[in-house]
Amino acid sequence: MEYRLGVDVGGTNTDAVILTEKNEVIAHTKSHTTPDIQTGITNSVNKVLQNVNFDKSAISTAMLGTTQCTNAIVERKNLISVGVIRLGYPATLSLPPFTDWPADLVEALHPLTATLRGGNEFDGRKISQFDDAEVTSTLEKWRGKVSSLAVIGVFSLVNDEEEKRVAELAHQLYGDNFPVSCSAAVGSLGLIERENATILNSALNQVMQRTADGFINSLQQAGVSAATPYLCQNDGTLMSIDYARQHPILTIGSGPTNSIRGAAYLSSLENAMVMDIGGTTSDLGVLVNGFPRESSVAVDVGGIRTNFRMPDILSIGLGGGSIVRQQEDGSVTVGPDSVGYQIEDKALCFGGDTVTTTDIAVRLGQAQVGDPQLVQKKISLEFAQKAAAKIKAMLEESIDNMKTKAGDVDLLLVGGGAIVAPQTLKGVGKIYRDSLGSVANAIGATIAQIGSEYERLYTYDKVPRKEALADAQQKATDQAVQAGADGSTTHLVLVEETPIAYAPGNTTKVKLKVVGNLHIAGH
């Protein structure tokens, strides 16, 4: 028998679960997140292993979902300097890199930029002739002044050979391990948004190195030495540690997608709305054919507009630790501030002095947490009912905002803070709850498959549609195998074809997604 270990690091709690090879949950735990991510992971792994009775070497795979990259961008911490080479001279000079970026984030990156010859028109014609000598000269000037490189070619989704050539030259000059991000492997159509995503991917390199090393060290300290480690992507799939080191930006938003996938597993539903109520926020997403619905618009990350794939998630400041207050006019407010991981010290039901949404649930008999007597003495029934009405209204409004059609939806309710939700909600047909819902995120991380998306423009008048789709599927499959998938198990789960109205020759944006089982060495 082999086992899987899944860990999800959130802002409040670090959850860990162990599943059998048949995806049966045999142990789970929840402990507080620590400022040092490695300590929190080690604590959770040690705790969950206390609940099982088998040799630790039987754990064959270990998965991690983490918010470290998101936090680094939001807090402007631990980012490294980036050299930005844009290939598109002279067509793009009027809009230089870092346009509309927050000044504090630009300062954190200490960037150097250059717009050089190269780049494509939408039909593959060259904007200007790519020049090896020009690139080499620029890299020589930057030697020792940048810690990573971002390469962005205009319409590189049509042809990315020039981006790859810049990476090759950089590795010749700076060494094979120098981090280089090419935009065609990171973003979608739209030069500025793709450029922004590529720059952030480069800046996050060291954050991912520390996260990956910390995860591996935590496993070794816990005695889990035989497991192959993976990191969770934001589309609900996994990637190998080596792939994650090259694409750290793909971990942004992976927390909510883990919850969505975990909720799908617990309910056996493939199409539903999912609400994950944590300690500080409630994240709402939509499950479509077993995977999270992706956002169809540019996504703002830390004040930067990007266009790499992101789940369609709505977050509101309502969690199990949200602070409840009565205003001078008698009204009641809930959040957005929260006691977070200090809930067992601050909440009334645990002997603290702060009224939280968990206290309201305890006062109304919705949950058995802490000491109900402490709550009854300090919260009146009228106040609790007002707070509950406010919580209900906030949840119903968020559900309504995520709907794309009229009528009731099924709701999968998960997360440690789900006890604050009422039994019925307007616009919801049936609410699904599960006793393992509080660790749905860790379960989602553990059951995930390896996945890969590929996107490119094809001119169907030159490349027949059948050949174009086959080429795109092969490229997506190659990427999935590189990320750690067993090539014999990969299969297509998504095909999107979008005609480009301004382009002649029946030009179409093709987007495919494939998933496959983990490739385990020796199996």
Side-chain angles (χ1 to χ4, degrees):
M1 176 70 78
E2 294 184 348
Y3 301 90
R4 293 181 175 189
L5 168 67
V7 179
D8 186 275
V9 183
T12 303
N13 293 306
T14 297
D15 303 337
V17 298
I18 293 179
L19 273 66
T20 68
E21 55 193 11
K22 294 181 179 179
N23 286 340
E24 298 168 332
V25 181
I26 60 171
H28 61 91
T29 189
K30 181 182 287 287
S31 59
H32 293 316
T33 296
T34 60
D36 166 21
I37 180 176
Q38 183 172 327
T39 301
I41 295 174
T42 302
N43 292 342
S44 282
V45 172
N46 284 331
K47 197 172 175 182
V48 76
L49 288 174
Q50 293 174 0
N51 299 322
V52 297
N53 183 26
F54 59 75
D55 190 333
K56 296 174 184 176
S57 63
I59 298 177
S60 60
T61 53
M63 296 78 166
L64 174 68
T66 175
T67 60
Q68 293 300 299
C69 289
T70 306
N71 296 344
I73 294 174
V74 172
E75 298 173 3
R76 277 63 163 145
K77 292 181 178 177
N78 303 316
L79 303 174
I80 61 175
S81 60
V82 182
V84 180
I85 290 182
R86 181 193 287 179
L87 303 172
Y89 180 88
T92 64
L93 291 175
S94 60
L95 198 62
F98 295 101
T99 299
D100 285 340
W101 277 53
D104 59 342
L105 184 52
V106 176
E107 184 179 355
L109 300 185
H110 306 291
L112 294 174
T113 65
T115 301
L116 307 181
R117 293 180 180 83
N120 305 280
E121 301 286 358
F122 64 88
D123 57 0
R125 287 179 293 122
K126 299 299 180 185
I127 293 176
S128 56
Q129 187 60 46
F130 180 84
D131 186 350
D132 271 17
E134 185 184 40
V135 175
T136 301
S137 174
T138 300
L139 294 174
E140 288 284 11
K141 293 177 184 175
W142 289 358
R143 187 190 291 272
K145 298 178 181 177
V146 295
S147 300
S148 63
L149 196 65
V151 187
I152 306 94
V154 178
F155 275 111
S156 61
L157 295 184
V158 175
N159 186 339
D160 62 353
E161 291 301 319
E162 293 176 350
E163 289 188 350
K164 291 179 177 176
R165 179 57 181 161
V166 174
E168 186 178 337
L169 293 171
H171 288 145
Q172 289 176 5
L173 289 172
Y174 297 162
D176 291 340
N177 294 326
F178 189 83
V180 181
S181 299
C182 295
S183 74
V186 175
S188 181
L189 281 177
L191 175 64
I192 299 303
E193 291 82 2
R194 177 160 45 87
E195 182 174 77
N196 292 344
T198 308
I199 294 171
L200 290 177
N201 190 67
S202 294
L204 289 167
N205 181 269
Q206 292 303 311
V207 175
M208 180 50 65
Q209 306 309 322
R210 281 195 290 271
T211 300
D213 291 343
F215 183 42
I216 294 171
N217 291 337
S218 298
L219 295 175
Q220 291 176 343
Q221 288 178 13
V224 184
S225 56
T228 303
Y230 294 90
L231 263 78
C232 297
Q233 303 188 68
N234 57 15
D235 66 346
T237 63
L238 298 171
M239 54 184 166
S240 67
I241 288 288
D242 289 340
Y243 195 81
R245 292 183 194 274
Q246 299 172 33
H247 304 87
I249 201 168
L250 297 182
T251 65
I252 294 177
S254 62
T257 56
N258 285 340
S259 296
I260 293 173
R261 290 276 293 162
Y265 164 77
L266 292 172
S267 66
S268 299
L269 295 178
E270 291 197 339
N271 296 283
M273 195 169 287
V274 180
M275 178 174 286
D276 179 9
I277 305 181
T280 304
T281 63
S282 295
D283 298 321
L284 197 63
V286 179
L287 187 67
V288 179
N289 297 326
F291 286 91
R293 184 175 73 192
E294 287 189 21
S295 174
S296 58
V297 299
V299 178
D300 186 293
V301 179
I304 309 299
R305 285 178 66 81
T306 67
N307 63 359
F308 72 102
R309 59 143 199 261
M310 282 285 284
D312 187 8
I313 300 294
L314 174 64
S315 296
I316 62 172
L318 170 61
S322 295
I323 298 175
V324 182
R325 299 181 177 90
Q326 184 160 29
Q327 304 301 312
E328 293 182 357
D329 62 358
S331 63
V332 173
T333 61
V334 177
D337 51 343
S338 165
V339 297
Y341 65 87
Q342 295 179 303
I343 189 168
E344 293 186 6
D345 298 323
K346 299 285 188 179
L348 291 181
C349 62
F350 293 111
D353 58 1
T354 305
V355 182
T356 68
T357 51
T358 294
D359 296 315
I360 299 300
V362 173
R363 179 64 179 88
L364 296 176
Q366 294 176 208
Q368 301 298 319
V369 179
D371 185 352
Q373 298 297 323
L374 294 176
V375 176
Q376 288 187 359
K377 292 177 182 176
K378 299 182 179 179
I379 298 179
S380 69
L381 183 59
E382 180 185 8
F383 176 78
Q385 289 173 336
K386 281 186 178 180
K390 180 65 176 179
I391 293 169
K392 188 172 188 287
M394 293 172 69
L395 295 178
E396 290 175 343
E397 182 180 3
S398 64
I399 291 169
D400 192 55
N401 287 337
M402 287 296 284
K403 283 184 177 179
T404 57
K405 58 183 179 181
D408 292 348
V409 296
D410 290 334
L411 179 68
L412 311 181
L413 195 56
V414 297
I419 56 174
V420 307
Q423 294 300 312
T424 60
L425 288 164
K426 183 181 178 183
V428 175
K430 183 176 180 180
I431 298 177
Y432 293 82
R433 300 175 190 252
D434 191 281
S435 60
L436 294 174
S438 63
V439 292
N441 45 6
I443 293 174
T446 313
I447 64 172
Q449 295 175 294
I450 296 287
S452 173
E453 286 186 358
Y454 184 78
E455 182 178 310
R456 182 174 172 178
L457 291 178
Y458 290 94
T459 302
Y460 283 168
D461 285 357
K462 296 181 179 178
V463 182
R465 176 176 177 272
K466 186 176 180 180
E467 291 182 19
L469 293 178
D471 178 69
Q473 183 171 353
Q474 185 58 53
K475 297 286 181 23
T477 301
D478 291 344
Q479 289 183 177
V481 172
Q482 184 185 358
D486 180 345
S488 65
T489 66
T490 56
H491 59 280
L492 196 61
V493 296
L494 172 72
V495 179
E496 288 183 1
E497 297 175 82
T498 308
I500 306 300
Y502 56 80
N506 200 13
T507 299
T508 302
K509 183 179 76 172
V510 176
K511 179 178 179 181
L512 292 97
K513 178 176 181 177
V514 301
V515 298
N517 295 334
L518 298 173
H519 173 71
I520 308 297
H523 288 242

